[in-house]
Amino acid sequence: MRITLAGLLVVPLVSLVALWAFAASITLGNAVREHNYNRLVALSAAPTDELANQVSQERQQTFTWLSTDPRPPEAQLAGTRDRTNAAVTAYRRLVQQTQGLRPASAEAAQATLMTLLSRLPTIRASVQAEVLSPSTAFGAYSNIMTAIFAVYAASEQVNTDLSVDKQTDASLDAAQALEFASREATLVSGASAAHGQMTTGDRHLFANAVTSQRLLIASALGEFDAQLRAPWQRAYASPAHQRLASLENRISGSIGSRAAIPVNVRTWRAVSGAFLAEAQKAQLQDAVPLAAMASSVSDRLVLEAALAGGVGLVAVLLSIFVLLRYGRRLNGELTSLHDTAQGMADRRLPGVVERLRKGEQVDVDAESPPPPPGTIAEIARVARAFATVQRTAVEAAVGQADLRRGVNRVFLNLSLRNQSLLHRQLGMLDAMERATNEPAALGDLFRLDHLTTRMRRHAESLIILSGATPARGWRDPVPVIDVLRAAIAEVEDYVRVDVASDSRDSVVGGAVNDVIHLVAELVENATTFSPPTTRIEIRADTVGTGFAVEIEDRGLGLPAGELAEINQRLASPPEFDLANSDQLGLFVVGQLAGRHGITVSLRDSPYGGTTAIVLMPHSLIVRADEAARPASTTGAANATGAAGIARPPAPANGRAFPAGHDRAGTREPGATFSLGKSSGPTYRGLPRRVRQASLAPQLREHARTQPPADRAASADLPLRSPEENRDLMSSLQQGWLRGRVDDLDDPDDGLGDRPGVAADSSDGEAPG
């Protein structure tokens, strides 16, 4: 705790010192940068303005000279070039003087400008040799002007006072607007020297200059405050600008014309000269307020630097004294509070949660004792708050456990009630199926039977969610084939499912119901999330580590991340969460698998869908060669209702269709496997249900009515009354007639040629 407390005291102190140093450096750095920027502006304002004015004048005179035919004497340019050279020399000296004042971000722009200035002699020589066109020379000088403004923008100091930056940017935009107005005047001056003619390229340059000038001044007027905006508003609201704008529009609108520019050159000179004079006056008037703003910001930054350096240092020293003064007192009380909290987190609260999971009762007061009170008010309040949090945590854990138990009881009660009703309903349906020979009614009863079976599975899912075990079960092992058929029969779209297996192994009776439920959930998931036109294939066989059942669909599959997450949840089923109600099936599968040590995993199918693999351990499987199959198993496995293994609905026409097909010709579940042999009546190789075949001999109806002396003889050949013989022969005759009609309706079926195939449908049921 001492190390922790020392860390708690030292870290804030170091952070405070670092923060003080950072604040002092920031404020001091801002003050220094602002001072350097103000000095740079003061030193470079005059030389830079002079350079810009001279380059602009030389551009205009050079463009006019090149546009005049015949050329006037070149001596007219000499004076202007000399003044430009002097301005360039002064600017070079300025760059040397302000080497440390200009920010690093402006070095690239400054280097570009110096490179362009060094090319002035080459430009002049090309002009003298008349190898440059007027437009090319105009562009060369304009590039120098653009570089000058780029240096202005790059050298600008970013202040903490955004209003000053805003006004500085607006002033720069206004100056650039004035430069574009000067370019317009230069182009018109050249057209005047060419007798009013202006090339198409020059007209485009003129139109671009007009557009840029108007956009820049509009931006500047929008950013200026009232004081700086007034001079520019007067210049742009003057009659000279209004007339100039009209002349600009005329020239800009003449693009594509080969005629002379549609303005009077003398009028243009007078109007543009008057406007440029007003704009330059506005620029000079704005210089004083901008300088005052910059000076005010500089003074404020110096004051902030002094406060951050001096007052901050005092605060750091005072903090050191306070930390050392109260450190020892804090150590003892924080140690006690820490031990209490650690004990709650490591022992008491996990123990409470574990006891609640086991269903034990918990005393909230006993499990949330308050920590010892502290002498320091702040720590005492923290202790009281911790006591409240501790009690709230225990009460919340108890409440959640009670809520979970209540939800489980609700699930269990509802599911048990539904299960009882559904079992009764299945029994009634079974009795109704046995009592009717009406084909249509029998088909409806079988469909209702199938629907009820699915409802029973959902009811059992609620029992599983509540943590209980469904009551339905078997004492004897049930063949795997029958278990798979029963699982398929509990799925809505069972006709799409094919089973491929010749295994004669069985599932132990105690696990039959859970295996049926588990496989049914996976099959239903496969039918739900795959196209309705695809097939679902189930393969089952013995493997080295147990008995494997593969359920493969032809759907779209799952992303790798989602597949891994589902496999993780199936391998380690989490505690049921009501928020994940859309994945109840996965939770039920995980619970059932964990109950019997079954491994369930999903993988990508090579056909593009998903394959679910159910691996049952050897302890759940009874090998065919280990124990003989009980005689009653087949009847119990293929019966409905009382036995609990469901079957698909029967055909609606009241007769059995060819094996593996329903009325529409689609395949029934289990159509690809064949059963171990049956000694009872069969239909095309499949066993038929025999009334009371699963009952003990002494419980059968004829056992109570048949004379004892005749029972032995009846085991081989049952005696029938004349009326029973008449009904039997009538039924056989009707069956033969229907069989002939069916063969004529479907002559390519070929089933009538198979040996041992009977057409008897007297009981109106589908096989198995």
Side-chain angles (χ1 to χ4, degrees):
M1 176 56 71
R2 290 185 177 180
I3 297 177
T4 303
L5 183 60
L8 291 175
L9 297 178
V10 172
V11 170
L13 179 60
V14 173
S15 300
L16 182 61
V17 173
L19 182 62
W20 166 73
F22 177 74
S25 63
I26 288 295
T27 54
L28 183 61
N30 288 337
V32 171
R33 285 192 294 271
E34 185 65 24
H35 173 74
N36 291 340
Y37 177 70
N38 290 338
R39 185 181 176 193
L40 175 65
V41 171
L43 292 175
S44 62
T48 305
D49 290 345
E50 179 63 19
L51 176 63
N53 290 333
Q54 292 304 323
V55 171
S56 178
Q57 290 183 10
E58 184 173 341
R59 175 183 62 190
Q60 181 175 1
Q61 291 187 10
T62 301
F63 185 77
T64 304
W65 186 82
L66 289 174
S67 300
T68 304
D69 190 19
R71 302 280 190 271
E74 190 181 1
Q76 296 180 1
L77 301 176
T80 302
R81 291 176 176 175
D82 291 340
R83 290 190 294 273
T84 302
N85 290 337
V88 170
T89 302
Y91 187 78
R92 294 183 186 277
R93 289 196 299 267
L94 171 68
V95 172
Q96 295 296 327
Q97 294 175 0
T98 59
Q99 189 68 38
L101 301 179
R102 200 177 303 277
S105 58
E107 294 299 330
Q110 183 66 63
T112 301
L113 175 59
M114 299 305 294
T115 300
L116 293 176
L117 290 176
S118 65
R119 295 176 182 173
L120 270 176
T122 303
I123 296 173
R124 291 167 180 169
S126 299
V127 170
Q128 183 176 359
E130 299 186 11
V131 297
L132 289 182
S133 64
S135 298
T136 304
F138 178 84
Y141 284 101
S142 297
N143 289 338
I144 296 176
M145 295 298 298
T146 301
I148 293 175
F149 281 100
V151 173
Y152 268 125
S155 301
E156 184 180 351
Q157 174 66 30
V158 178
N159 295 309
T160 55
D161 190 346
L162 297 180
S163 62
V164 177
D165 289 341
K166 187 176 180 180
Q167 301 307 309
T168 303
D169 291 340
S171 178
L172 185 61
D173 288 343
Q176 286 183 289
L178 190 60
E179 154 62 13
F180 280 106
S182 176
R183 294 185 185 186
E184 297 174 27
T186 299
L187 291 171
V188 175
S189 177
S192 174
H195 308 289
Q197 295 296 324
M198 184 180 288
T199 64
T200 301
D202 292 344
R203 293 175 195 262
H204 281 289
L205 290 175
F206 183 89
N208 291 337
V210 172
T211 302
S212 299
Q213 179 245 137
R214 293 178 180 178
L215 288 176
L216 287 169
I217 196 60
S219 175
L221 293 176
E223 298 291 336
F224 274 138
D225 59 15
Q227 182 181 7
L228 297 178
R229 186 185 303 113
W232 290 100
Q233 279 186 333
R234 285 194 297 269
Y236 274 85
S238 64
H241 178 261
Q242 294 177 1
R243 296 180 61 190
L244 177 64
S246 176
L247 297 176
E248 289 172 343
N249 293 336
R250 292 182 187 178
I251 299 176
S252 298
S254 66
I255 294 178
S257 175
R258 296 184 180 181
I261 55 176
V263 297
N264 186 282
V265 175
R266 294 182 179 179
T267 303
W268 168 268
R269 289 176 179 173
V271 171
S272 63
F275 168 71
L276 290 175
E278 289 288 336
Q280 290 172 352
K281 181 179 178 182
Q283 187 177 24
L284 293 175
Q285 290 177 352
D286 282 349
V288 177
L290 282 175
M293 290 181 184
S295 177
S296 175
V297 171
S298 179
D299 295 341
R300 178 173 57 80
L301 291 177
V302 171
L303 178 61
E304 289 178 356
L307 291 177
V311 178
L313 180 60
V314 173
V316 170
L317 296 176
L318 181 61
S319 299
I320 294 175
F321 171 77
V322 171
L323 291 176
L324 295 177
R325 176 71 174 79
Y326 293 99
R328 292 186 177 181
R329 292 181 58 188
L330 288 172
N331 182 50
E333 297 189 10
L334 287 177
T335 300
S336 177
L337 185 60
H338 172 267
D339 293 341
T340 303
Q342 194 71 32
M344 178 62 182
D346 293 343
R347 296 186 301 276
R348 289 199 301 275
L349 191 57
V352 168
V353 173
E354 185 63 26
R355 290 167 56 191
L356 290 173
R357 286 179 178 175
K358 295 179 180 179
E360 301 178 9
Q361 297 295 327
V362 173
D363 186 356
V364 177
D365 295 331
E367 297 298 337
S368 56
T375 58
I376 300 177
E378 290 78 6
I379 297 181
R381 287 196 293 269
V382 172
R384 289 194 295 271
F386 173 75
T388 302
V389 171
Q390 176 181 251
R391 184 178 183 85
T392 302
V394 175
E395 290 177 347
V398 173
Q400 287 295 324
D402 292 339
L403 177 61
R404 191 177 297 108
R405 284 194 294 267
V407 171
N408 289 343
R409 285 195 295 269
V410 170
F411 281 171
L412 184 59
N413 291 334
L414 289 177
S415 58
L416 288 177
R417 293 180 182 181
N418 289 339
Q419 191 181 41
S420 177
L421 295 175
L422 290 171
H423 277 302
R424 292 171 57 188
Q425 182 174 333
L426 284 171
M428 296 174 63
L429 288 172
D430 187 65
M432 295 171 67
E433 291 167 5
R434 296 175 183 274
T436 183
N437 289 324
E438 185 67 27
L442 189 59
D444 292 339
L445 288 175
F446 274 129
R447 284 190 289 273
L448 185 58
D449 189 328
H450 180 236
L451 180 61
T452 306
T453 302
R454 293 174 53 220
M455 294 170 63
R456 179 181 60 187
R457 177 166 60 88
H458 294 313
E460 290 180 352
S461 294
L462 290 178
I463 297 178
I464 296 170
L465 292 177
S466 66
T469 302
R472 187 163 58 109
W474 285 261
R475 291 188 300 271
D476 298 327
V478 177
V480 171
I481 293 298
D482 293 342
V483 171
L484 296 179
R485 294 187 65 197
I488 296 171
E490 294 190 358
V491 176
E492 179 179 7
D493 204 1
Y494 64 90
V495 295
R496 294 171 49 202
V497 185
D498 298 330
V499 177
S501 177
D502 55 1
S503 175
R504 298 185 179 183
D505 296 341
S506 301
V507 180
V508 296
V512 169
N513 185 58
D514 289 344
V515 172
I516 291 174
H517 199 133
L518 184 150
V519 175
E521 291 288 349
L522 295 175
V523 172
E524 184 168 61
N525 188 72
T527 59
T528 302
F529 294 100
S530 60
T533 58
T534 60
R535 309 293 302 173
I536 309 300
E537 183 175 358
I538 300 180
R539 296 180 295 273
D541 204 351
T542 303
V543 295
T545 56
F547 192 90
V549 178
E550 294 186 10
I551 304 167
E552 183 177 63
D553 63 52
R554 303 292 177 89
L556 298 178
L558 293 172
E562 185 176 353
L563 195 66
E565 179 183 357
I566 293 176
N567 283 328
Q568 177 64 28
R569 297 176 64 180
L570 290 173
S572 301
E575 187 174 356
F576 176 58
D577 187 2
L578 293 176
N580 293 330
S581 60
D582 57 338
Q583 296 182 346
L584 293 181
L586 288 178
F587 181 80
V588 171
V589 170
Q591 293 297 317
L592 293 175
R595 182 180 300 172
H596 298 284
I598 299 174
T599 302
V600 181
S601 61
L602 303 182
R603 69 179 184 185
D604 291 331
S605 170
Y607 300 103
T610 303
T611 300
I613 302 176
V614 180
L615 181 61
M616 293 180 282
H618 291 294
S619 59
L620 299 183
I621 301 299
V622 177
R623 300 293 298 271
D625 53 357
E626 292 178 359
R629 182 178 178 183
S632 61
T633 302
T634 303
N638 292 328
T640 311
I645 296 185
R647 63 176 180 276
N653 62 358
R655 66 175 180 87
F657 287 98
H661 293 76
D662 62 8
R663 184 177 181 87
T666 57
R667 297 172 63 86
E668 292 181 354
T672 60
F673 65 79
S674 59
L675 296 179
K677 295 182 180 179
S678 175
S679 59
T682 61
Y683 172 75
R684 298 191 176 181
L686 296 178
R688 281 192 176 281
R689 176 192 295 171
V690 179
R691 248 184 110 172
Q692 300 182 356
S694 301
L695 296 179
Q698 60 270 26
L699 298 180
R700 298 176 182 172
E701 293 180 0
H702 69 276
R704 295 194 297 270
T705 60
Q706 189 175 7
D710 297 336
R711 289 179 183 173
S714 64
D716 297 329
L717 183 61
L719 297 178
R720 297 186 178 89
S721 65
E723 291 78 9
E724 290 176 335
N725 289 329
R726 180 196 61 194
D727 294 339
L728 176 60
M729 297 305 294
S730 176
S731 177
L732 287 174
Q733 184 180 15
Q734 293 176 4
W736 291 334
L737 292 176
R738 284 196 297 269
R740 294 191 184 100
V741 173
D742 293 339
D743 289 338
L744 292 176
D745 290 340
D746 191 8
D748 295 331
D749 185 52
L751 294 175
D753 297 333
R754 299 182 185 176
V757 176
D760 182 16
S761 59
S762 59
D763 60 354
E765 295 183 355

